[in-house]
Structures are given as C-alpha cells and as structure tokens.
Amino acid sequence: MAQVTSETLRTSAGTMQVSAVVTGLDTPWAFGFLPDGKIVLTEREGSVLLITPGEAAVPLRNPPEVYPDGQGGLLDVLVPRDFAQSRELIFTHSKRQGSGSGTAVTKARLNAEGTALERHVTIFEIAPGSSGGRHFGSRIVEAPDGTLFLSVGDRGDRPAAQDLGLHNGSVLRITRTGQVPSDNPFAQTQGAQPEIWSYGHRNPQGVAFDANGQLWVNEHGARGGDEVNRIEKGANFGWPVISYGRHYSGRSIGEGTEKPGMLQPAAYWDPSIAPSGMAFYNTGPVSDWAGDMFVGSLKFDYIARLDGSPLREVEQIKGDSTLRVRDIRQAPNGDLWFLSVGNGALYRMSRAGS
C-alpha cells in the first residue's frame, strides 16, 4: 500500500497542499470532527479510531458489534451537533439478520476519558429479508430539525427499490431514538415502511445538506448512470425502472431514462465514477468554491467538483493522494478533508501557504 504523506495539487482555485493526518488505515470508511479538534474514524472491519492530529490514532475499546459481509461492516459515523453535551456518536453498519444481514443504526457514548464507547443502543435496522453482501448504502446525516436521514441501498434486489413495504433502495428519516416522525410521507400509508422519505435508489453512498438545508444524495448506478439527486419528500427516483446506465452484462435497464411520476437526477455520470462521500463547501478560505459540491470517486481516483444550473461536474481534483476516495467532509475551519482507501490514509487539503 502506498504511503503518500504530502503533495501539492493544481486546481482551478489555485495550488492546494494535501497532507496526511494519519496513515496505515485498514479499509477506512468514514470520519467526523469532534468539537475539541479530534477526529473519529471508522474502519469497515469494525474498528473505531480516535485521532489527534500529530499523534498516532488510538482504537476505542468496545466498538459497535458489526457483521462484516461483503461491502458491509462498520460504515458511517455521525457526530451530532450536541456532542459536547451528549457525547453521543451514531454509527451505521451491517447487522446479522437470520442468514443474511441488513443496514442498522447504533448510537453509543464516548466515555469521559475518550478511550471507549459505552451505552450502545441499536435504534434502527431495516426490515430483514436481504441476503448477499452488496449495496448497504449507509450514509447518515443530521437534519436542521435534529432528525436523522439514512441511505439504504437496494441490497442487490433491484425490484425491492420500488417496494414501499421494504426499506431497500431508499432514503429514510428517523428520530434520534429511532422513532418515526409523524410528518414522514408514508407514515400513514398501509403496508409501507413508515421510515421511508424517498425511494427508487440503487446504492446511495453520499448524503449531505447544502447551506440552504436541502438534502442531496449521490448513488452508484450500474454500468453508467451514477446519479446526484436532489431529494424531495415522498419522491420516487426510478431505480430500476429508469436509469441512464446499463446492466454490467450490457443489457438495457428498465423502460428507458424517464417515466411520469419518477424524478430525474440533478446530474449523472456515464461512465460510472463509483461516487462515495459528499460535502458542500459552504464557507471557507477558497471563495471560488463557495456553495460547490464535492464527491469522491472510488473508480477513477479523483475528487469531483460540481457546480452550476443545471448541476454538472466542472473539475476533477486528482493526485497520488486521491486513490479510491471513500469519504469527504469540510472541517470547521473550511478545509476539505478526505479518506483514501487506496492509500489507507486521511488527508487534509488546504490552500498552499495557508
């Protein structure tokens, strides 16, 4: 595994300095910033690391119990806005369900010493019945009103993404205790899973709010057809009835690229870039990037910058450090940080000389 510790990258906004904060990671999946400047980071096989910049990463004792299954394992981590008071962290992961597994959400408290997790409670898991280790989705974000939005992939069962009786292929909305908010669009629909907020998704691995509080998702297509979607309450985004991609075999998917009652993506890629992680550059020292969307590419090893109306990819930020970018987030000081699975490293990107 490469150990790229530092490089400069030329971008449309000038030269950026990329520096490794921690290396030697084993299949890192997600990270978040704590109020004291430390970072919490997940590795898919089940470790939770606490990172103090400039020091070695420390594994936390008593991580969530996960069931590593193909693409599953310990996945996203959310640092809630009230962490300084609650010390709660919220994790998504694959959980054993009979002979299969499904996406679950567990919250735990970081102890006062910052050495272990305690008081684990699994507040949600998808309706059981899925098998195979594919398409867990599994990004989670906190809405302005304090509810949680969770992405779930179709679990490799394409028709399930159109079945409101299953959680597969959907964006879900729950409370911090795992309850169903009364204003969810299908909360009163007989036979529907009440947590569903939108559906018809394939495998959403990037979820973020923009500065206006609008929720966005990026998701893997098949061969082509990776999408960025502007999420609307109760909306059907079409998978697998409509798509801009094709099956890996080359066969066409569904009924074409559009159908009444199914929303179009805000942007799509063909060929697929395998998008994962997403962040908006809301405020920060690089004024040229204000409001822009950043998405990691697992397949082509770059960070995509998207802008404009209609939304489109306007830049590819690429270097030795951007090998299989799994997660990307904006730090409190405005810098962009990202996780490279290929390098096993967490990087900070800032304007050169700053």
Side-chain angles (χ1 to χ4, degrees):
M1 181 178 292
Q3 292 295 309
V4 181
T5 58
S6 180
E7 68 172 336
T8 56
L9 298 179
R10 295 189 180 277
T11 75
S12 61
T15 302
M16 300 294 159
Q17 180 67 42
V18 175
S19 303
V21 179
V22 61
T23 59
L25 301 173
D26 181 11
T27 319
W29 216 91
F31 67 101
F33 300 99
L34 301 184
D36 62 1
K38 295 181 180 179
I39 300 103
V40 61
L41 183 147
T42 63
E43 294 179 322
R44 197 176 66 195
E45 291 303 306
S47 296
V48 181
L49 305 180
L50 190 64
I51 298 164
T52 303
E55 300 180 13
V58 177
L60 295 176
R61 300 194 308 276
N62 197 26
E65 183 178 347
V66 306
Y67 177 59
D69 182 17
Q71 297 170 359
L74 182 57
L75 302 172
D76 207 6
V77 59
L78 168 67
V79 181
R81 288 189 294 272
D82 70 354
F83 175 84
Q85 293 77 42
S86 70
R87 298 191 66 78
E88 276 188 356
L89 297 170
I90 301 174
F91 300 91
T92 70
H93 57 94
S94 54
K95 181 179 185 293
R96 186 69 178 260
Q97 295 179 324
S99 61
S101 58
T103 304
V105 180
T106 293
K107 64 180 181 181
R109 184 181 180 276
L110 180 64
N111 68 1
E113 297 76 25
T115 57
L117 296 168
E118 58 188 18
R119 304 180 192 175
H120 295 64
V121 180
T122 297
I123 62 171
F124 173 81
E125 61 183 273
I126 67 170
S130 299
S131 61
R134 292 185 292 162
H135 301 180
F136 291 89
S138 214
R139 291 290 175 191
I140 189 166
V141 292
E142 184 179 21
D145 67 0
T147 58
L148 306 178
F149 283 88
L150 166 71
S151 71
V152 179
D154 67 6
R155 300 292 286 107
D157 180 5
R158 292 189 293 271
Q162 290 294 317
D163 185 349
L164 288 173
L166 297 171
H167 293 109
N168 304 39
S170 62
V171 173
L172 310 177
R173 179 174 178 247
I174 59 175
T175 70
R176 281 274 289 272
T177 58
Q179 301 302 306
V180 176
S182 60
D183 58 342
N184 272 12
F186 303 108
Q188 309 304 321
T189 302
Q190 186 173 2
Q193 294 292 348
E195 295 87 359
I196 293 175
W197 186 261
S198 64
Y199 64 107
H201 300 282
R202 184 173 183 268
N203 190 26
Q205 286 196 357
V207 181
F209 283 96
D210 65 19
N212 297 318
Q214 171 63 50
L215 183 65
W216 297 79
V217 161
N218 69 56
E219 58 187 278
H220 290 244
R223 202 174 83 183
D226 292 348
E227 296 181 355
V228 175
N229 285 306
R230 184 182 188 273
I231 299 302
E232 297 182 15
K233 181 179 181 178
N236 181 356
F237 286 88
W239 175 259
V241 180
I242 60 173
S243 175
Y244 283 89
R246 303 182 73 84
H247 291 298
Y248 295 116
S249 66
R251 291 186 299 110
S252 60
I253 293 173
E255 302 175 17
T257 58
E258 57 184 86
K259 185 175 182 178
M262 296 181 177
L263 295 196
Q264 288 287 298
Y268 70 91
W269 286 274
D270 189 9
S272 295
I273 69 165
S276 188
M278 177 164 61
F280 284 91
Y281 196 88
N282 289 326
T283 59
V286 186
S287 59
D288 291 353
W289 289 350
D292 290 358
M293 176 189 294
F294 290 81
V295 174
S297 168
L298 290 164
K299 183 176 180 181
F300 292 126
D301 304 328
Y302 70 88
I303 296 169
R305 181 171 70 87
L306 294 91
D307 189 19
S309 183
L311 187 71
R312 63 187 182 91
E313 182 182 282
V314 295
E315 184 175 13
Q316 297 180 359
I317 300 171
K318 187 178 179 73
D320 293 336
S321 59
T322 60
L323 193 61
R324 288 185 57 78
V325 176
R326 172 66 75 182
D327 197 12
I328 182 166
R329 311 207 180 193
Q330 189 177 27
N333 72 346
D335 289 346
L336 284 178
W337 292 46
F338 62 92
L339 269 180
S340 163
V341 180
N343 289 310
L346 173 66
Y347 293 101
R348 176 177 54 230
M349 181 168 61
S350 57
R351 192 187 290 277
S354 63

